[in-house]
């Protein structure tokens, strides 16, 4: 009798353990399913409801609460994207509307400056007015370039030769380097350095880098375009006056400017350049030594 009772207890215990193990396995499967669905919704931005057909009551309640959270978050993301797009469009519109009157104002100022009857004081005042207007024009140009770049669609891009573009932009620098006596040197790869991009964006990238070098170069500028793996890198280096403390940690910050007398940009050129590079999945970095400043772009 005692042995029978023991066997019955053992059998009951086995059944209980089996049931518990089955329930644990079911719970684990539910957790895995739940985790995968949440991962897909978060990473892949998949819409839809969480499937709770195989879930227990407690899991269904948890899933319902998380579903509400996901729905609310999705609405916030959509609203944020709409607001962001609205701000972009507004900035692009304002920048565009500023450019024409500012260009016109600069033209009128230059016409007045040709008047030989102007007093020296008025000549100086007009010069200051022109510089301030030019500054605003450059600022609006950078804002416009940034907003257009960030709204760029894939069908607006094409495969272009960065090398050819680089050569064209570099030739445009010949006149001012000759006038200022800047020693210019270049090393260029034979590879065409093909990239799928907007020519406008890549031109802006190069022009901004040359503009920065033009502001601060004391006696020399060197550039190098070389092939690297599946991509390529562009390096521009220049010396700079001893009184300037180039802060490489801040050069890509918006509105950060280093000054050389009356020189000094609007503080957006390198920031816009960084945004362009990163928008195309590239890397941009700055470095300096005691007498030279270097920027490297890898695309």
């Amino acid at each position: 009798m005692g042995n029978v009772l023991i066997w019955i207890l053992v059998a009951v215990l086995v059944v209980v353990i089996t049931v518990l193990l089955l329930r644990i396995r079911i719970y684990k499967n539910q957790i895995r399913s739940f985790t995968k669905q949440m991962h897909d919704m978060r990473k892949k931005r998949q819409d839809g409801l969480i499937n709770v057909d195989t879930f227990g009551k407690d899991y269904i309640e948890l899933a319902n609460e998380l579903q509400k959270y996901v729905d609310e978050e999705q609405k916030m993301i959509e609203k944020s994207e709409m607001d962001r797009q609205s701000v972009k469009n507004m900035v692009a519109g304002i920048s565009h509307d500023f450019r024409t009157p500012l260009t016109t104002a600069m033209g009128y100022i230059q016409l007045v400056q040709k008047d030989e009857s102007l007093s020296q004081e008025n000549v100086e005042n007009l010069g200051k007015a022109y510089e301030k207007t030019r500054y605003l024009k450059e600022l609006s140009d950078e804002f416009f370039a940034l907003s257009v770049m960030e709204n760029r669609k894939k069908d607006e891009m094409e495969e272009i030769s960065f090398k050819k573009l680089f050569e064209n932009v570099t030739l445009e620098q010949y006149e001012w380097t000759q006038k200022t006596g800047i020693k210019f040197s270049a090393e260029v790869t034979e590879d065409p350095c093909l990239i799928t991009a907007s020519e406008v964006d890549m031109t802006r990238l190069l022009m901004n880098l040359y503009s920065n070098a033009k502001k601060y170069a004391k006696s020399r500028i060197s550039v190098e375009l070389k092939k690297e793996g599946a991509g390529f890198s562009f390096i521009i280096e220049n010396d700079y006056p001893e009184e300037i403390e180039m802060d490489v940690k801040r050069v890509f910050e918006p509105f950060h400017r280093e000054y050389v007398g009356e020189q000094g940009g609007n503080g957006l050129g390198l920031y816009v350049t960084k945004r362009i590079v990163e928008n195309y999945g590239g890397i941009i970095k700055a470095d300096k030594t005691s007498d030279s400043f270097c920027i490297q772009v890898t695309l």
Side-chain angles (χ1 to χ4, degrees):
M1 183 68 179
N3 291 335
V4 173
L5 183 59
I6 291 173
W7 280 110
I8 292 174
L9 289 174
V10 169
V12 170
L13 186 59
V14 169
V15 171
V16 170
I17 291 174
T18 302
V19 171
L20 287 174
L21 290 174
L22 287 173
R23 295 200 62 173
I24 290 172
R25 184 174 181 180
I26 291 171
Y27 286 150
K28 282 185 176 181
N29 290 336
Q30 291 177 349
I31 290 174
R32 290 193 187 100
S33 172
F34 190 78
T35 301
K36 184 178 184 303
Q37 291 183 67
M38 292 299 298
H39 176 272
D40 291 342
M41 296 178 76
R42 181 174 63 87
K43 288 290 186 182
K44 301 178 183 178
R45 295 297 180 191
Q46 292 183 349
D47 296 327
L49 300 175
I50 298 174
N51 184 358
V52 295
D53 291 343
T54 61
F55 288 11
K57 180 181 178 181
D58 293 337
Y59 282 114
I60 290 176
E61 291 179 359
L62 175 60
N64 287 336
E65 289 300 317
L66 282 172
Q67 184 70 59
K68 292 177 183 177
Y69 175 79
V70 169
D71 292 342
E72 291 174 0
E73 183 187 37
Q74 185 62 35
K75 290 179 181 178
M76 291 175 64
I77 291 173
E78 291 173 358
K79 185 179 184 303
S80 175
E81 180 59 28
M82 290 177 62
D83 291 343
R84 189 172 70 90
Q85 192 64 41
S86 177
V87 170
K88 280 185 182 179
N89 294 336
M90 181 179 68
V91 170
I94 293 174
S95 300
H96 182 269
D97 291 343
F98 273 176
R99 297 166 80 200
T100 301
L102 286 171
T103 302
T104 304
M106 290 169 65
Y108 279 122
I109 292 173
Q110 287 178 312
L111 281 175
V112 176
Q113 284 177 319
K114 295 180 180 180
D115 187 347
E116 296 180 357
S117 65
L118 289 174
S119 66
Q120 183 61 34
E121 182 181 359
N122 285 336
V123 170
E124 292 176 358
N125 289 336
L126 281 171
K128 292 176 181 178
Y130 180 83
E131 287 303 314
K132 295 297 182 183
T133 307
R134 181 184 60 81
Y135 169 79
L136 289 174
K137 171 68 165 53
E138 290 179 354
L139 200 63
S140 65
D141 286 346
E142 294 293 359
F143 271 122
F144 184 72
L146 183 61
S147 59
V148 169
M149 182 272 294
E150 291 188 334
N151 284 299
R152 186 86 62 199
K153 297 178 180 178
K154 289 186 177 181
D155 58 9
E156 297 178 275
M157 301 179 190
E158 59 182 351
E159 188 176 63
I160 61 175
S161 168
F162 190 88
K163 175 189 176 183
K164 183 177 180 180
L165 188 64
F166 159 72
E167 290 173 339
N168 291 337
V169 174
T170 299
L171 284 174
E172 295 175 11
Q173 316 306 312
Y174 177 80
E175 184 177 355
W176 70 263
T177 55
Q178 291 298 303
K179 285 183 178 179
T180 56
I182 295 291
K183 181 181 179 181
F184 186 88
S185 62
E187 291 185 26
V188 186
T189 178
E190 293 296 324
D191 192 275
C193 298
L194 300 177
I195 181 174
T196 301
S198 162
E199 186 171 320
V200 173
D201 292 342
M202 294 297 106
T203 302
R204 169 66 64 175
L205 183 156
L206 289 167
M207 291 296 291
N208 283 358
L209 291 175
Y210 272 123
S211 176
N212 185 75
K214 181 180 179 180
K215 290 183 177 74
Y216 302 112
K218 184 173 64 173
S219 62
R220 61 179 174 82
I221 296 175
S222 63
V223 295
E224 181 181 5
L225 178 62
K226 58 182 180 179
K227 182 68 175 173
E228 285 192 353
F232 56 87
S233 67
F234 172 69
I235 302 170
I236 181 167
E237 181 180 345
N238 60 270
D239 58 358
Y240 60 91
E242 295 177 0
E243 61 268 24
I244 296 298
E245 296 182 2
M246 287 289 184
D247 188 349
V248 294
K249 294 181 179 180
R250 300 192 61 198
V251 292
F252 298 116
E253 292 181 5
F255 301 109
H256 173 72
R257 292 182 287 178
E258 306 284 358
Y259 288 91
V260 180
E262 293 299 320
Q263 296 186 53
N266 51 49
L268 281 177
L270 291 184
Y271 170 72
V272 171
T273 303
K274 183 174 185 288
R275 293 292 293 271
I276 292 173
V277 172
E278 293 179 344
N279 193 55
Y280 284 93
I283 299 172
I284 185 170
K285 58 183 180 180
D287 197 7
K288 72 169 185 176
T289 63
S290 59
D291 64 347
S292 67
F293 176 72
C294 173
I295 292 179
Q296 178 172 347
V297 172
T298 303
L299 289 167

PDB file of all heavy atoms in Angstrom, residues 60-78:
ATOM      1  N   ILE A  60      -1.585  39.646 -22.628  1.00  0.00           N
ATOM      2  CA  ILE A  60      -2.482  40.435 -23.484  1.00  0.00           C
ATOM      3  C   ILE A  60      -2.661  41.842 -22.914  1.00  0.00           C
ATOM      4  O   ILE A  60      -2.628  42.839 -23.641  1.00  0.00           O
ATOM      5  CB  ILE A  60      -3.852  39.728 -23.627  1.00  0.00           C
ATOM      6  CG1 ILE A  60      -3.680  38.455 -24.468  1.00  0.00           C
ATOM      7  CG2 ILE A  60      -4.870  40.652 -24.274  1.00  0.00           C
ATOM      8  CD1 ILE A  60      -4.939  37.627 -24.592  1.00  0.00           C
ATOM      9  N   GLU A  61      -2.824  41.945 -21.589  1.00  0.00           N
ATOM     10  CA  GLU A  61      -2.972  43.256 -20.958  1.00  0.00           C
ATOM     11  C   GLU A  61      -1.703  44.092 -21.137  1.00  0.00           C
ATOM     12  O   GLU A  61      -1.759  45.294 -21.428  1.00  0.00           O
ATOM     13  CB  GLU A  61      -3.290  43.079 -19.475  1.00  0.00           C
ATOM     14  CG  GLU A  61      -4.681  42.489 -19.223  1.00  0.00           C
ATOM     15  CD  GLU A  61      -4.964  42.293 -17.743  1.00  0.00           C
ATOM     16  OE1 GLU A  61      -4.059  42.604 -16.933  1.00  0.00           O
ATOM     17  OE2 GLU A  61      -6.073  41.848 -17.405  1.00  0.00           O
ATOM     18  N   LEU A  62      -0.532  43.427 -20.955  1.00  0.00           N
ATOM     19  CA  LEU A  62       0.737  44.115 -21.145  1.00  0.00           C
ATOM     20  C   LEU A  62       0.887  44.562 -22.593  1.00  0.00           C
ATOM     21  O   LEU A  62       1.313  45.689 -22.876  1.00  0.00           O
ATOM     22  CB  LEU A  62       1.896  43.196 -20.762  1.00  0.00           C
ATOM     23  CG  LEU A  62       3.315  43.730 -21.027  1.00  0.00           C
ATOM     24  CD1 LEU A  62       3.562  45.016 -20.248  1.00  0.00           C
ATOM     25  CD2 LEU A  62       4.356  42.675 -20.661  1.00  0.00           C
ATOM     26  N   ALA A  63       0.521  43.665 -23.527  1.00  0.00           N
ATOM     27  CA  ALA A  63       0.625  43.981 -24.948  1.00  0.00           C
ATOM     28  C   ALA A  63      -0.277  45.150 -25.324  1.00  0.00           C
ATOM     29  O   ALA A  63       0.108  46.025 -26.107  1.00  0.00           O
ATOM     30  CB  ALA A  63       0.275  42.753 -25.789  1.00  0.00           C
ATOM     31  N   ASN A  64      -1.463  45.192 -24.767  1.00  0.00           N
ATOM     32  CA  ASN A  64      -2.403  46.291 -25.043  1.00  0.00           C
ATOM     33  C   ASN A  64      -1.844  47.631 -24.587  1.00  0.00           C
ATOM     34  O   ASN A  64      -1.959  48.647 -25.286  1.00  0.00           O
ATOM     35  CB  ASN A  64      -3.746  46.023 -24.372  1.00  0.00           C
ATOM     36  CG  ASN A  64      -4.540  44.932 -25.072  1.00  0.00           C
ATOM     37  OD1 ASN A  64      -4.338  44.683 -26.262  1.00  0.00           O
ATOM     38  ND2 ASN A  64      -5.437  44.276 -24.352  1.00  0.00           N
ATOM     39  N   GLU A  65      -1.232  47.636 -23.402  1.00  0.00           N
ATOM     40  CA  GLU A  65      -0.659  48.878 -22.880  1.00  0.00           C
ATOM     41  C   GLU A  65       0.525  49.339 -23.747  1.00  0.00           C
ATOM     42  O   GLU A  65       0.669  50.523 -24.044  1.00  0.00           O
ATOM     43  CB  GLU A  65      -0.201  48.689 -21.427  1.00  0.00           C
ATOM     44  CG  GLU A  65      -1.340  48.554 -20.435  1.00  0.00           C
ATOM     45  CD  GLU A  65      -2.232  49.795 -20.433  1.00  0.00           C
ATOM     46  OE1 GLU A  65      -1.679  50.926 -20.459  1.00  0.00           O
ATOM     47  OE2 GLU A  65      -3.464  49.642 -20.440  1.00  0.00           O
ATOM     48  N   LEU A  66       1.363  48.366 -24.136  1.00  0.00           N
ATOM     49  CA  LEU A  66       2.494  48.710 -24.988  1.00  0.00           C
ATOM     50  C   LEU A  66       2.038  49.145 -26.379  1.00  0.00           C
ATOM     51  O   LEU A  66       2.654  50.025 -26.993  1.00  0.00           O
ATOM     52  CB  LEU A  66       3.450  47.527 -25.101  1.00  0.00           C
ATOM     53  CG  LEU A  66       4.359  47.315 -23.882  1.00  0.00           C
ATOM     54  CD1 LEU A  66       5.115  46.010 -24.009  1.00  0.00           C
ATOM     55  CD2 LEU A  66       5.339  48.468 -23.724  1.00  0.00           C
ATOM     56  N   GLN A  67       0.951  48.546 -26.861  1.00  0.00           N
ATOM     57  CA  GLN A  67       0.408  48.940 -28.157  1.00  0.00           C
ATOM     58  C   GLN A  67      -0.044  50.401 -28.127  1.00  0.00           C
ATOM     59  O   GLN A  67       0.194  51.165 -29.073  1.00  0.00           O
ATOM     60  CB  GLN A  67      -0.767  48.039 -28.542  1.00  0.00           C
ATOM     61  CG  GLN A  67      -1.337  48.321 -29.916  1.00  0.00           C
ATOM     62  CD  GLN A  67      -0.396  47.917 -31.028  1.00  0.00           C
ATOM     63  OE1 GLN A  67      -0.023  46.760 -31.121  1.00  0.00           O
ATOM     64  NE2 GLN A  67       0.001  48.872 -31.865  1.00  0.00           N
ATOM     65  N   LYS A  68      -0.660  50.792 -27.023  1.00  0.00           N
ATOM     66  CA  LYS A  68      -1.081  52.195 -26.877  1.00  0.00           C
ATOM     67  C   LYS A  68       0.132  53.119 -26.877  1.00  0.00           C
ATOM     68  O   LYS A  68       0.107  54.193 -27.485  1.00  0.00           O
ATOM     69  CB  LYS A  68      -1.872  52.363 -25.580  1.00  0.00           C
ATOM     70  CG  LYS A  68      -3.220  51.659 -25.578  1.00  0.00           C
ATOM     71  CD  LYS A  68      -3.907  51.815 -24.228  1.00  0.00           C
ATOM     72  CE  LYS A  68      -5.230  51.046 -24.203  1.00  0.00           C
ATOM     73  NZ  LYS A  68      -5.894  51.134 -22.869  1.00  0.00           N
ATOM     74  N   TYR A  69       1.174  52.672 -26.177  1.00  0.00           N
ATOM     75  CA  TYR A  69       2.409  53.472 -26.120  1.00  0.00           C
ATOM     76  C   TYR A  69       3.026  53.604 -27.512  1.00  0.00           C
ATOM     77  O   TYR A  69       3.452  54.689 -27.916  1.00  0.00           O
ATOM     78  CB  TYR A  69       3.405  52.820 -25.169  1.00  0.00           C
ATOM     79  CG  TYR A  69       4.752  53.493 -25.129  1.00  0.00           C
ATOM     80  CD1 TYR A  69       4.958  54.654 -24.399  1.00  0.00           C
ATOM     81  CD2 TYR A  69       5.818  52.974 -25.853  1.00  0.00           C
ATOM     82  CE1 TYR A  69       6.197  55.283 -24.383  1.00  0.00           C
ATOM     83  CE2 TYR A  69       7.057  53.582 -25.847  1.00  0.00           C
ATOM     84  CZ  TYR A  69       7.245  54.739 -25.104  1.00  0.00           C
ATOM     85  OH  TYR A  69       8.462  55.351 -25.092  1.00  0.00           O
ATOM     86  N   VAL A  70       3.064  52.477 -28.254  1.00  0.00           N
ATOM     87  CA  VAL A  70       3.638  52.478 -29.601  1.00  0.00           C
ATOM     88  C   VAL A  70       2.837  53.402 -30.519  1.00  0.00           C
ATOM     89  O   VAL A  70       3.401  54.175 -31.304  1.00  0.00           O
ATOM     90  CB  VAL A  70       3.680  51.054 -30.178  1.00  0.00           C
ATOM     91  CG1 VAL A  70       4.016  51.085 -31.675  1.00  0.00           C
ATOM     92  CG2 VAL A  70       4.705  50.211 -29.444  1.00  0.00           C
ATOM     93  N   ASP A  71       1.510  53.326 -30.418  1.00  0.00           N
ATOM     94  CA  ASP A  71       0.653  54.173 -31.264  1.00  0.00           C
ATOM     95  C   ASP A  71       0.882  55.655 -30.969  1.00  0.00           C
ATOM     96  O   ASP A  71       0.966  56.483 -31.880  1.00  0.00           O
ATOM     97  CB  ASP A  71      -0.820  53.824 -31.031  1.00  0.00           C
ATOM     98  CG  ASP A  71      -1.160  52.439 -31.558  1.00  0.00           C
ATOM     99  OD1 ASP A  71      -0.381  51.904 -32.376  1.00  0.00           O
ATOM    100  OD2 ASP A  71      -2.198  51.883 -31.145  1.00  0.00           O
ATOM    101  N   GLU A  72       0.982  55.981 -29.678  1.00  0.00           N
ATOM    102  CA  GLU A  72       1.212  57.379 -29.304  1.00  0.00           C
ATOM    103  C   GLU A  72       2.584  57.858 -29.772  1.00  0.00           C
ATOM    104  O   GLU A  72       2.732  58.992 -30.235  1.00  0.00           O
ATOM    105  CB  GLU A  72       1.083  57.535 -27.788  1.00  0.00           C
ATOM    106  CG  GLU A  72      -0.340  57.355 -27.282  1.00  0.00           C
ATOM    107  CD  GLU A  72      -0.416  57.378 -25.761  1.00  0.00           C
ATOM    108  OE1 GLU A  72       0.640  57.540 -25.120  1.00  0.00           O
ATOM    109  OE2 GLU A  72      -1.541  57.226 -25.218  1.00  0.00           O
ATOM    110  N   GLU A  73       3.591  56.971 -29.639  1.00  0.00           N
ATOM    111  CA  GLU A  73       4.940  57.337 -30.085  1.00  0.00           C
ATOM    112  C   GLU A  73       4.958  57.549 -31.594  1.00  0.00           C
ATOM    113  O   GLU A  73       5.602  58.489 -32.089  1.00  0.00           O
ATOM    114  CB  GLU A  73       5.940  56.249 -29.701  1.00  0.00           C
ATOM    115  CG  GLU A  73       7.373  56.600 -30.063  1.00  0.00           C
ATOM    116  CD  GLU A  73       8.340  55.460 -29.841  1.00  0.00           C
ATOM    117  OE1 GLU A  73       7.959  54.311 -30.098  1.00  0.00           O
ATOM    118  OE2 GLU A  73       9.477  55.735 -29.427  1.00  0.00           O
ATOM    119  N   GLN A  74       4.252  56.700 -32.336  1.00  0.00           N
ATOM    120  CA  GLN A  74       4.221  56.829 -33.790  1.00  0.00           C
ATOM    121  C   GLN A  74       3.589  58.156 -34.202  1.00  0.00           C
ATOM    122  O   GLN A  74       4.063  58.824 -35.131  1.00  0.00           O
ATOM    123  CB  GLN A  74       3.432  55.656 -34.399  1.00  0.00           C
ATOM    124  CG  GLN A  74       3.439  55.610 -35.919  1.00  0.00           C
ATOM    125  CD  GLN A  74       4.834  55.442 -36.486  1.00  0.00           C
ATOM    126  OE1 GLN A  74       5.661  54.763 -35.905  1.00  0.00           O
ATOM    127  NE2 GLN A  74       5.093  56.065 -37.625  1.00  0.00           N
ATOM    128  N   LYS A  75       2.535  58.536 -33.497  1.00  0.00           N
ATOM    129  CA  LYS A  75       1.894  59.822 -33.796  1.00  0.00           C
ATOM    130  C   LYS A  75       2.842  60.981 -33.516  1.00  0.00           C
ATOM    131  O   LYS A  75       2.885  61.959 -34.279  1.00  0.00           O
ATOM    132  CB  LYS A  75       0.621  59.968 -32.962  1.00  0.00           C
ATOM    133  CG  LYS A  75      -0.511  59.045 -33.388  1.00  0.00           C
ATOM    134  CD  LYS A  75      -1.721  59.227 -32.493  1.00  0.00           C
ATOM    135  CE  LYS A  75      -2.847  58.276 -32.904  1.00  0.00           C
ATOM    136  NZ  LYS A  75      -4.032  58.395 -32.016  1.00  0.00           N
ATOM    137  N   MET A  76       3.605  60.866 -32.420  1.00  0.00           N
ATOM    138  CA  MET A  76       4.571  61.919 -32.089  1.00  0.00           C
ATOM    139  C   MET A  76       5.683  62.005 -33.131  1.00  0.00           C
ATOM    140  O   MET A  76       6.120  63.098 -33.502  1.00  0.00           O
ATOM    141  CB  MET A  76       5.159  61.653 -30.703  1.00  0.00           C
ATOM    142  CG  MET A  76       4.182  61.841 -29.555  1.00  0.00           C
ATOM    143  SD  MET A  76       4.892  61.386 -27.946  1.00  0.00           S
ATOM    144  CE  MET A  76       6.200  62.620 -27.802  1.00  0.00           C
ATOM    145  N   ILE A  77       6.134  60.831 -33.625  1.00  0.00           N
ATOM    146  CA  ILE A  77       7.179  60.798 -34.650  1.00  0.00           C
ATOM    147  C   ILE A  77       6.673  61.446 -35.939  1.00  0.00           C
ATOM    148  O   ILE A  77       7.375  62.243 -36.574  1.00  0.00           O
ATOM    149  CB  ILE A  77       7.630  59.350 -34.920  1.00  0.00           C
ATOM    150  CG1 ILE A  77       8.392  58.806 -33.703  1.00  0.00           C
ATOM    151  CG2 ILE A  77       8.507  59.271 -36.165  1.00  0.00           C
ATOM    152  CD1 ILE A  77       8.730  57.334 -33.808  1.00  0.00           C
ATOM    153  N   GLU A  78       5.444  61.098 -36.316  1.00  0.00           N
ATOM    154  CA  GLU A  78       4.870  61.660 -37.542  1.00  0.00           C
ATOM    155  C   GLU A  78       4.700  63.164 -37.424  1.00  0.00           C
ATOM    156  O   GLU A  78       4.993  63.913 -38.371  1.00  0.00           O
ATOM    157  CB  GLU A  78       3.524  60.991 -37.834  1.00  0.00           C
ATOM    158  CG  GLU A  78       3.652  59.525 -38.236  1.00  0.00           C
ATOM    159  CD  GLU A  78       2.313  58.835 -38.363  1.00  0.00           C
ATOM    160  OE1 GLU A  78       1.282  59.498 -38.089  1.00  0.00           O
ATOM    161  OE2 GLU A  78       2.280  57.644 -38.732  1.00  0.00           O
TER     162      GLU A  78
END
